[in-house]
Amino acid sequence: MVDVTTVPSEEQNMSMLDKLKGLLKGHEDQARQGVEKAGDAFDRKTGDKYKDQVDMAQKKIEEQLGAEPPKDDRPPHG
């Protein structure tokens, strides 16, 4: 049986997510890099055993961060 007093409510989860988003505001690129590095490290440690799940988690986190990473649309230097 689950003690419902220790399980965060949906409202508490949303407020924690809002707080996290507020902390990351303006630092989305660094957060993306950290998520990517952490996922890669986890994959190495587990021998890619959970690669699909890690990739899915990384994608969901990036979706929550909002804006896509900047694309390099500059022409190559010649």
Side-chain angles (χ1 to χ4, degrees), residues 66-77:
E68 289 294 314
K71 293 184 173 46
D72 190 1
D73 291 335
R74 295 176 292 177
H77 293 272

Side-chain angles (χ1 to χ4, degrees), residues 6-78:
T6 61
V7 176
S9 69
E10 188 173 326
E11 184 176 303
Q12 288 171 322
N13 283 336
M14 290 305 294
S15 69
M16 290 187 327
L17 183 59
D18 290 339
K19 285 181 185 179
L20 184 57
K21 283 183 180 180
L23 291 171
L24 292 174
K25 195 73 168 174
H27 303 284
E28 292 87 356
D29 290 338
Q30 291 94 338
R32 267 189 207 89
Q33 290 172 1
V35 167
E36 187 68 27
K37 285 183 180 181
D40 292 347
F42 190 85
D43 284 340
R44 279 193 305 277
K45 289 283 188 182
T46 61
D48 287 335
K49 184 176 181 180
Y50 303 101
K51 185 168 180 41
D52 291 339
Q53 292 90 334
V54 170
D55 290 346
M56 187 184 319
Q58 288 173 309
K59 182 178 178 182
K60 292 288 184 185
I61 292 170
E62 287 185 17
E63 288 172 3
Q64 288 297 315
L65 287 174
E68 289 294 314
K71 293 184 173 46
D72 190 1
D73 291 335
R74 295 176 292 177
H77 293 272

